[in-house]
Amino acid sequence: MSGWSHRHVLDLASFSIEDFSSVLELANRFKAVINTGTRKLPALQGSLIATLFFEPSTRTRSSFELAAKKLSADVQTFSANSSSLSKGETPLDTALTYVAMGADILIIRHGSTNVPAQLAHCLEKSGHKTGVLNAGDGLHSHPSQGLLDLYTLAKFFSPNNPSPEAIKGKRIVIVGDILHSRVARSNLWALTACGANIVLCGPPTLLPEEFTSFVDAPPSGQKYDPIVKRGQITVMRSLKDAFQGADAVITLRLQKERMRENLLTDLYQYNCEYGVTHESLKWCKGNVPVLHPGPVNRGVEMSSALLEDDSICLVREQVSNGIPIRMALLYLLVTTRS
Ligand code: CP
């Protein structure tokens, strides 16, 4: 792909519109091939992809492993619970072990922010060409989820040409626990880059007002923002107000495991105010799609009836789209390695 210059994929703040286009275009081609019933492509035959998940996952790990296998790569899975971590081995020495086994790409998830970036930096410093793909780090970033959400929305708005252009000018509401969500942060970088205007909606304890300026400056360590004009971010506290004029809704999981204080006193109250249901969606301007990265707390951030309504809820579509998106990322990283 012309213009692709990323040796690692660590976040989406550093992505240009050309990068988003490249990933979406390639993913769309892979999806078309999968839909013909083709089980495997020979593209990455001989490559070794290692998945190093220091934090639990169902979707992301399985999806990356399936994506790698569909491109005929070999896959090595590291299981934190049965690994030498319990003997005191560090994430860096774990990563170096898989590099020594010949891994071309390390797909890394960690509960602490910036661990994948630090490992990528250490590998580069010691002369290794192994690429690092961030599969979620602390509250910071979940780039492949941000990309699959972008692709799912682009495909909904423009089925025949799911490009970043399809998102421009859309009003997309993100509801829930923004504070603890790396998915929300990746969504913000991706969707504003494509010109969407974002409404963030949630209680003050889970959505500080400062999020309105989240994309105003590149993150520390990044010299400039590759996007000339981003969409705007607004914070609203009322779901009814947020849903006025919405084109799409993304709901987020309440991340109880990351809440150090009891930030919510009453789950029932939260569900009454911010739970997305068929009823609350009537405040939107028509039938709008609802996304959720999963796993879902049924009956908390979304009703079970809505989760199971595939005519509105795109959760299964997101999971399905995750495979071609991750195929595209792996293909781009492996084939442009130098
Ligand atoms: N969306 C997501 O990251 O799900 P998993 O934690 O199951 O990978």
Side-chain angles (χ1 to χ4, degrees):
M1 281 280 164
S2 64
W4 180 263
S5 60
H6 297 273
R7 186 162 173 183
H8 314 286
V9 174
L10 301 169
D11 59 50
L12 298 179
S14 58
F15 265 45
S16 65
I17 281 294
E18 292 72 28
D19 294 328
F20 287 114
S21 295
S22 296
V23 175
L24 264 55
E25 194 187 320
L26 192 53
N28 207 41
R29 279 171 27 202
F30 282 135
K31 189 171 173 85
V33 173
I34 294 170
N35 286 346
T36 64
T38 306
R39 296 187 72 82
K40 267 184 191 258
L41 298 167
L44 299 189
Q45 205 156 32
S47 301
L48 178 60
I49 312 294
T51 52
L52 276 56
F53 279 57
F54 299 91
E55 199 190 59
S57 164
T58 295
R59 281 147 282 271
T60 311
R61 172 155 37 197
S62 302
S63 179
F64 265 120
E65 292 182 354
L66 264 172
K69 288 174 187 169
K70 282 189 183 292
L71 293 171
S72 303
D74 293 323
V75 177
Q76 190 65 48
T77 303
F78 157 84
S79 292
N81 289 342
S82 58
S83 74
S84 290
L85 284 182
S86 61
K87 302 172 197 162
E89 189 159 45
T90 63
L92 175 60
D93 286 329
T94 305
L96 286 169
T97 300
Y98 283 90
V99 170
M101 290 181 200
D104 297 285
I105 303 290
L106 301 179
I107 299 168
I108 299 174
R109 170 172 286 192
H110 201 283
S112 297
T113 291
N114 279 334
V115 169
Q118 280 169 17
L119 294 179
H121 177 70
C122 290
L123 294 180
E124 277 192 25
K125 240 175 69 179
S126 47
H128 296 294
K129 291 186 173 161
T130 312
V132 173
L133 239 158
N134 180 2
D137 61 327
L139 309 186
H140 172 231
S141 183
H142 192 345
S144 63
Q145 181 73 45
L147 288 165
L148 77 87
D149 290 348
L150 176 65
Y151 178 55
T152 302
L153 285 168
K155 216 161 164 51
F156 178 86
F157 294 127
S158 176
N160 296 326
N161 183 22
S163 66
E165 192 64 24
I167 305 295
K168 199 170 178 179
K170 300 292 185 198
R171 176 180 164 108
I172 298 173
V173 182
I174 305 181
V175 189
D177 184 0
I178 316 289
L179 180 64
H180 299 100
S181 177
R182 55 196 178 206
V183 174
R185 287 167 174 83
S186 288
N187 286 153
L188 285 173
W189 287 112
L191 296 171
T192 60
C194 300
N197 294 314
I198 308 298
V199 178
L200 297 176
C201 185
T205 46
L206 301 180
L207 171 55
E209 203 69 39
E210 298 82 79
F211 267 92
T212 49
S213 52
F214 182 72
V215 297
D216 287 358
S220 63
Q222 188 175 310
K223 289 195 187 79
Y224 66 95
D225 184 348
I227 306 297
V228 178
K229 187 165 165 32
R230 289 186 177 271
Q232 291 187 330
I233 301 173
T234 314
V235 167
M236 290 189 171
R237 302 296 173 195
S238 146
L239 196 63
K240 186 174 183 180
D241 292 343
F243 276 5
Q244 305 295 317
D247 293 295
V249 174
I250 300 175
T251 62
L252 298 171
R253 184 173 66 87
L254 281 182
Q255 307 215 7
K256 292 181 209 140
E257 75 277 19
R258 294 191 213 282
M259 291 188 196
R260 290 194 188 91
E261 304 115 44
N262 288 327
L263 296 174
L264 279 180
T265 44
D266 188 342
L267 270 189
Y268 175 74
Q269 179 73 19
Y270 176 84
N271 175 248
C272 291
E273 287 188 42
Y274 297 105
V276 181
T277 62
H278 285 98
E279 279 304 304
S280 64
L281 286 171
K282 288 182 184 153
W283 294 322
C284 299
K285 65 181 177 190
N287 280 341
V288 302
V290 178
L291 287 75
H292 190 302
V296 177
N297 293 308
R298 282 174 180 251
V300 178
E301 57 259 8
M302 186 193 286
S303 65
S304 277
L306 181 58
L307 179 61
E308 287 165 16
D309 182 352
D310 288 343
S311 71
I312 302 174
C313 178
L314 302 187
V315 167
R316 276 163 280 277
E317 187 69 13
Q318 287 170 273
V319 172
S320 159
N321 288 339
I323 297 169
I325 281 289
R326 291 175 173 119
M327 288 170 79
L329 288 173
L330 291 173
Y331 181 86
L332 287 165
L333 283 186
V334 173
T335 57
T336 59
R337 248 159 49 104
S338 56

